[in-house]
Amino acid sequence: MNNLNRFLISASLVPAVIAAAPAQAQQRIINVPAGEANKTIPEFARQSGLEILAPAERLGGVKTPAIIGTVDVRERLQRLILPAGLEISTFRNGIVTLRYRERGRFEGGPSARAGLTFASASGGGLAMRSAGRVPTASAAAAASSAQPVEDELPGEILVTATKQATSISRVPMSITALPTEEMDKRNIRSFADVVRTVPALSLQSSPIADRIPNISIRGVASSNGAPTTGIYLDDTPLQKRNAIGISGSGTPTPQLFDLERVEVLRGPQGTLFGGSSLGGTIRFITPTPSLVDSSLYGRAEVGFIKSGGTTYDLGLALGIPLVEDRLGLRVSGTLRRFGGYIDHVDRLTGETLAKDTNTTDEFAFRGALLFQASDALAITPSVYYSRNRQDDADTQWETVPETTFGGYTYPEATFGPYETGINCNYGDIYVDTAEKCTIVQPRTTEIFLPSLKLEYDLGGASLTSVTSYLHDKTWGRADYTYVEPANFQGGFPFVSDLTSYQSTPIYENTRDGFIQELRMAGTNTGRFSWIAGVYFAHYDNNSNYHIIANLEDLTQATFGITPEQLMGVGVEPGNITYHRDQNLEETSLAAFGEASYELVDKLKLIAGVRVSREKFAYDQVTAGTFAGFLEPTTQNGGLTQGTVKETPVTPKFGLQYQIDRSNMVYATVAKGFRVGGVNQPPPAARCGADLEALGISSSPDTYGADSLWSYEVGAKLRSANAKASLAGSAYYIDWSNIQTAYGLPTCGFGYTINGGKAVSKGFDMQVAFELFEGLRLDGQVAYTDAKYTQDVIGPEPGFTTYVADGDALPVPDWSFNLGFDYVRPLGGFEAFLHADYQHNSAYQNSSGPFTASFSPDTYRTGATNFVTARAGLGRDGWKVSLYIDNLFNSRDVMGRYGGRTSCSAGGGDPCASYRSYVYPYQYGTLRPRTIGATFTIRR
């Protein structure tokens, strides 16, 4: 049965399973638009079934925020009434009494001020009446016996990091939430922008090959195997296994339009989110359709890149209640172009062959339909589709100095900023006759995700089912035009009498998955809260690629012989020199639960656990000239298959102490886990010298799981007047049996091993100050000290040092973001100014000294600095603004490749010499300064 059929069958069965359950709970579907309090509070009472007693004089003319989605009734009511200066006095038996935030001014009871009572009437209408005193005996009893409820604070964001709606200040973990308004203000338009904004979140990708993105949190970084960071679109996981070599793998990320918020959860999230959340989880949360209110969000933007192309963005989101209180629709679509800025330059003539080749085009569509089938049951089918195409790599070349090699002197090849020499590789003696051609490296990713969410009130608990079908595909081309000549010549890429050479790896990676989660959460207020569920996922993944190259032209020019004479194997028809086809089948079954209990007043004990059964099966075929054979067999390593099974248990424990309504401290201990995987055999003919240097003939077929324990303490504090806040945490992470990528130094392939231990320790802090009305400063800072604490040594006879004790993991030690906001009235408009300064310190990006793959010229990445600013005017829901990204046109390098590599010692001794010196240096930088204008409208 295929995954799409599983999706359809499961979606049809779930309603039948839960249809007989009773209805009444504290979590409900609420759709109250923004408006005046004297209208929104009655509407909230009607939809929630509460009877709300409120002082009348505080409601007129007060604007309240929209409350939309499946929410905890009490928490969202607290948010709704904040602008009116009210708080909850009592909340019991469906009756809520509100009072002024100044103590004692509206307590309810016979002596209370004149007020209003809002209640849902039995006929479905809304009862509103004057309340000179509490109108019912039950309400009076509630007022006298219940203690005041401590509410959320002004400016709070509700998050679902615990799979239940909770104020961010009450969640006992380090978390950053970016609402869509914040992302608009900070000009966050891509996932790379999110990374720059959130300290302790890192993104690395190689400037060469297929540019696999590697996302990490708190130093838990690994460029291979299963990811270390979970990526979710609402409740559906998107993280995808990385494969070494050309594979088109890497986790796809959604487009940043029409999102309610992005949540970044730091620290292992194994209990609620499972494997691949070793370092943390990133969640992209989409808006819920409204049943009562129409809404509009539109954005139009244009920008001009210094010495580059034009960027533009068009997006529109519409929310429409098709049948009031029953059926709501939300649809959105966006088109965006990131203009290119990389020029291809001929290395010999200096002629510009192509300009601005690395343009990126994005498209996304989302549709969601909310059907309130009954007071208890809500059904939300949705579909998401996105496509991202980058026309070329962002790679640039450094100037290649004059070099004498093989008796020929090659002149200096000069390259300026944002220039590359990746073109057809022709010899110097053919400079006047060779046909000039440009080589581009496109990469395209698609995501298709239909999903069905069902939510049911059970009376004291809520039941949620999420069923998803996931299809994603990445395909493109890379370039080995200069890599293969360099492999034959000790790193030197040019051949003077080569007529023309081109080597193109073509890759495709396709995944189909079925995901089902069923969870139940307690909704009764009290000392005990809980959530429990089951999870199932099945993925089929195919990764294939082949290399097309006119290899005989290269071997004749370099050695004067054919490929068959050189490597013992000829070239396949179509000039295919290597191919690989890999099928992966992954199945995950898990049960999870987490609970908290208030031991004494204000002190909660938290405990949770997840038990999983993970199965990973694979088969792969490799063959070709560089493999050393054309007919794959089990004996020559061309046919491999196997199965990996594991049963991880990931517990979590914590304490949370609520000092008062504004301040909280916590401590947690949690375990994270990542399943093992399979290696692709490096081609023997191409990588034989590298393998021989390590004392092995091939790579291991599989690698095992790794795991970690995280210990964290933190605090979330706010001043009494809510004008200053601080959230901080310190952590210690002990990581064992690490899945470590070993890149073979010269042949462009590699494999994964288990071994060694690492420790990551540090802290992160978020602060905000309102200096005076309209002026706000905020800052986020993170320090990460992540290092291996054990050597990783290869087998005899080489005893190669893969990783040395003390080698740093590839993340910056320091990262921070400083923000400035100023808002003031100006001639009937709201004028605003925002600026951000973002910094990441230098860091080690690969193995250090005394290791076999040490590359002394490029093993460290320098510090980066980025400044962005926006200023504009707004009124009645629309805003127009001017922005500048990369204000000072920083060209800080984010990744570099080339130079000396493959230490001749490699056994823990200092490197006296290197087997290869790879030309040219290739690198990537920040996007050049971009100046533009934005128009947004929200209704």
Side-chain angles (χ1 to χ4, degrees), residues 20 81 84 90 97 114 150 385 526 577 607 752 816 819 835-836 892:
I81 63 179
T90 60
T97 305
E150 295 191 336
Y385 173 81
T577 61
T752 302
F816 60 79
D836 278 305
D892 294 335

Side-chain angles (χ1 to χ4, degrees), residues 26-34 40-41 43-45 47-48 50 52 63-84 86-88 91 96 98 149-153 156-161 163-168 170 177 179 260-261 263 283 285-289 453 455 525:
Q26 294 295 329
Q27 276 202 346
R28 288 191 178 276
I29 299 291
I30 300 293
N31 284 273
V32 177
T40 58
I41 294 178
E43 178 63 23
F44 187 93
Q47 294 186 32
S48 64
L50 297 175
I52 301 175
K63 300 290 186 181
T64 60
I67 306 295
I68 298 173
T70 301
V71 302
D72 182 286
V73 170
R74 184 180 66 184
E75 288 185 348
R76 289 302 175 98
L77 176 58
Q78 291 166 347
R79 182 176 185 180
L80 185 71
I81 63 179
L82 280 176
L86 300 174
E87 64 184 3
I88 294 175
F91 191 120
V96 182
L98 308 182
V149 177
E150 295 191 336
D151 60 340
E152 64 186 61
L153 299 168
E156 285 286 78
I157 300 171
L158 290 179
V159 297
T160 51
K163 299 201 173 184
Q164 301 180 82
T166 311
S167 301
I168 192 170
R170 303 295 175 91
E260 185 173 309
R261 65 187 178 277
E263 299 177 0
R283 306 182 67 222
I285 309 298
T286 60
T288 301
K453 185 174 185 178
E455 299 165 287
T525 58

Side-chain angles (χ1 to χ4, degrees), residues 384-632:
Y384 175 85
Y385 173 81
S386 69
R387 177 186 172 104
N388 174 294
R389 175 184 168 86
Q390 186 178 15
D391 291 338
D392 197 5
D394 298 336
T395 305
Q396 303 166 50
W397 274 21
E398 292 185 9
T399 292
V400 182
E402 179 182 295
T403 306
T404 299
F405 183 85
Y408 185 89
T409 299
Y410 295 83
E412 180 181 79
T414 303
F415 296 93
Y418 314 113
E419 292 182 345
T420 180
I422 299 180
N423 306 301
C424 292
N425 190 353
Y426 68 89
D428 296 43
I429 66 175
Y430 297 103
V431 63
D432 296 323
T433 59
E435 181 179 350
K436 310 298 192 299
C437 63
T438 296
I439 298 174
V440 295
Q441 303 175 70
R443 178 183 169 105
T444 304
T445 298
E446 286 185 340
I447 304 173
F448 174 63
L449 175 58
S451 181
L452 179 66
K453 185 174 185 178
L454 299 103
E455 299 165 287
Y456 202 81
D457 287 342
L458 296 172
S462 65
L463 180 67
T464 302
S465 168
V466 181
T467 309
S468 302
Y469 167 75
L470 174 63
H471 171 83
D472 64 74
K473 181 179 178 180
T474 299
W475 68 97
R477 301 195 304 269
D479 179 63
Y480 277 173
T481 298
Y482 295 88
V483 172
E484 286 163 354
N487 287 340
F488 290 151
Q489 301 185 131
F492 192 74
F494 309 135
V495 183
S496 63
D497 58 349
L498 178 63
T499 53
S500 184
Y501 183 66
Q502 185 172 349
S503 178
T504 305
I506 300 173
Y507 58 87
E508 180 180 278
N509 190 306
T510 304
R511 175 177 61 165
D512 290 279
F514 168 80
I515 306 98
Q516 173 65 56
E517 180 171 289
L518 188 66
R519 64 179 183 263
M520 187 179 295
T523 57
N524 285 333
T525 58
R527 303 174 75 113
F528 182 68
S529 64
W530 58 273
I531 183 171
V534 292
Y535 172 86
F536 173 80
H538 179 87
Y539 298 100
D540 293 308
N541 195 119
N542 174 263
S543 170
N544 66 81
Y545 83 96
H546 59 279
I547 302 174
I548 298 176
N550 54 319
L551 184 61
E552 184 163 349
D553 292 336
L554 176 62
T555 59
Q556 288 286 1
T558 307
F559 303 105
I561 56 177
T562 67
E564 186 171 3
Q565 291 172 314
L566 179 66
M567 290 176 277
V569 178
V571 176
E572 294 184 86
N575 277 344
I576 295 175
T577 61
Y578 183 79
H579 63 85
R580 188 205 69 182
D581 194 295
Q582 182 185 80
N583 292 300
L584 306 177
E585 184 178 354
E586 298 181 81
T587 303
S588 177
L589 179 64
F592 63 89
E594 186 170 307
S596 67
Y597 181 73
E598 191 172 9
L599 298 172
V600 296
D601 186 33
K602 300 182 179 181
L603 179 64
K604 288 183 179 180
L605 173 67
I606 303 166
V609 69
R610 188 184 190 100
V611 181
S612 304
R613 179 61 172 170
E614 307 290 339
K615 180 181 178 181
F616 177 79
Y618 69 93
D619 65 81
Q620 61 184 5
V621 178
T622 57
T625 312
F626 286 118
F629 51 84
L630 298 183
E631 293 296 330

Side-chain angles (χ1 to χ4, degrees), residues 109-115 130-134:
S111 62
R113 290 173 175 262
S130 292
R133 55 191 176 91
V134 176

